[in-house]
Amino acid sequence: MINSTSALPETQSTSATARTGRRRRRPSAVLRTVIIYAVLIMGALVILGPFLLSFSTALKTPQQFATSSPLSLPAPFTFENFARLFGAEHNFVSPIAVTVQMTLVILVVQLGCSILAAYAFARLQFWGRDVIFWAYLATMMIPAVTTIVPLYGMLTSAGLRNTFWALVLPTLFGSPYAIFLLREYFRAVPDDLEAAARIDGCGTLRVLWYVVLPHSRPIIATLTVITVVTQWNNFLWPRVITTGDDWAVLTVATAALQSQYNGNWTLVMAATTIALLPLLLIYLLFQRRIVDSIAIGGFK
């Protein structure tokens, strides 16, 4: 009885000390949280700042842009620049339509070819598989700029210059980057699932369609976003292989708004805002899948 009674004050003093320690740690935890949120807010401002400046400039008249600070808000707001882009003067409907067609065709065909090639490199057994894969992957080290002249000569000799096929053919088939990512993801799919499907009578293509692809939706969504953004923003190759307004893509049409003596920055910012909106929408639709693709081995 004496020992248990004497131990009671020690227990109370220990709990009181722990509560005091927690009270002492609370200010540091709050300060750490404030610092983290401050850094995140500053990072968000740095990233979103150029987009907000672009949208603000697009809502100004050329007179406002020339006479006021670039950081000042439009006074008053005007949609004149957007109306001019879609008017008879510039007719931005055609570049948008060409860009959408080019992006969709490249996305569907390139992603389909990349999936088939990646599955072959990941699951099928054939002579020289690894050598062919690494040799193909090594082509990523070749700068794209060095291939422009030979591609231009080949397509011009074939009579495809200034056509839709000239825009899509160089990037229409499998991408080394996409094949590499898909191959690593396909290798993480459990072998038991594929074996069970083959026991049930599934062939290679049915195993790919019903077993592998459903488990690979996150990485496919990520590659979809990457491919769309890359092709949507492609400027150099469309600028080289096309002339005139018939097959001008959005980036080329935006660059054409500037002349030697006039920057037309309000029109350029309006065109940039229009080009940016579809990409933001696509990212918002696929952002959850992109986050899921990080857990590359997380199969249940």
Side-chain angles (χ1 to χ4, degrees):
M1 293 295 293
I2 296 175
N3 293 336
S4 61
T5 305
S6 60
L8 184 58
E10 295 180 2
T11 304
Q12 292 177 349
S13 62
T14 303
S15 60
T17 303
R19 287 195 298 269
T20 304
R22 284 196 296 268
R23 292 194 191 99
R24 291 176 179 175
R25 285 195 297 268
R26 283 176 185 174
S28 61
V30 172
L31 180 61
R32 184 169 59 251
T33 303
V34 170
I35 293 175
I36 291 174
Y37 276 95
V39 172
L40 292 175
I41 291 173
M42 292 175 59
L45 291 176
V46 171
I47 294 174
L48 296 177
F51 302 115
L52 296 177
L53 180 62
S54 172
F55 185 64
S56 174
T57 305
L59 297 177
K60 295 179 180 180
T61 62
Q63 294 76 15
Q64 291 177 359
F65 179 76
T67 58
S68 62
S69 171
L71 300 179
S72 62
L73 295 177
F77 291 89
T78 177
F79 292 94
E80 175 187 351
N81 298 307
F82 296 96
R84 290 178 59 190
L85 286 177
F86 292 100
E89 182 182 0
H90 299 288
N91 189 21
F92 245 59
V93 176
S94 177
I96 293 175
V98 172
T99 306
V100 170
Q101 294 176 45
M102 179 190 72
T103 303
L104 286 178
V105 170
I106 293 177
L107 173 65
V108 173
V109 179
Q110 185 185 104
L111 198 57
C113 293
S114 299
I115 288 174
L116 293 174
Y119 182 75
F121 286 129
R123 293 295 188 176
L124 303 184
Q125 299 294 332
F126 55 90
W127 183 85
R129 182 189 68 174
D130 294 337
V131 175
I132 296 174
F133 171 73
W134 290 111
Y136 183 62
L137 195 65
T139 60
M140 293 179 61
M141 294 185 293
I142 302 175
V145 178
T146 61
T147 63
I148 288 180
V149 174
L151 282 174
Y152 180 85
M154 292 167 55
L155 294 176
T156 302
S157 301
L160 296 178
R161 184 177 178 273
N162 204 30
T163 62
F164 177 76
W165 291 110
L167 291 172
V168 301
L169 276 178
T171 53
L172 190 61
F173 301 104
S175 165
Y177 178 73
I179 291 174
F180 172 75
L181 289 183
L182 288 168
R183 174 181 177 267
E184 298 306 310
Y185 211 98
F186 291 168
R187 293 177 66 184
V189 177
D191 296 334
D192 295 341
L193 295 177
E194 184 174 345
R198 292 191 180 276
I199 292 174
D200 290 338
C202 291
T204 300
L205 291 179
R206 294 186 67 185
V207 169
L208 173 63
W209 183 261
Y210 291 107
V211 176
V212 178
L213 291 185
H215 286 87
S216 306
R217 288 178 186 144
I219 194 63
I220 292 175
T222 302
L223 288 174
T224 297
V225 175
I226 293 174
T227 305
V228 169
V229 171
T230 302
Q231 300 306 322
W232 189 270
N233 293 328
N234 194 4
F235 171 76
L236 183 58
W237 176 248
R239 182 68 182 88
V240 169
I241 202 62
T242 61
T243 56
D245 299 331
D246 293 338
W247 296 108
V249 298
L250 196 55
T251 52
V252 175
T254 301
L257 294 174
Q258 295 176 308
S259 62
Q260 183 178 0
Y261 303 103
N262 191 355
N264 289 327
W265 288 111
T266 55
L267 279 178
V268 171
M269 292 300 114
T272 303
T273 302
I274 293 173
L276 181 64
L277 291 178
L279 300 181
L280 290 177
L281 179 61
I282 291 173
Y283 177 75
L284 291 176
L285 291 175
F286 289 98
Q287 62 175 336
R288 180 63 182 272
R289 294 293 185 182
I290 294 174
V291 174
D292 292 343
S293 68
I294 298 175
I296 195 168
F299 295 105
K300 295 182 180 180

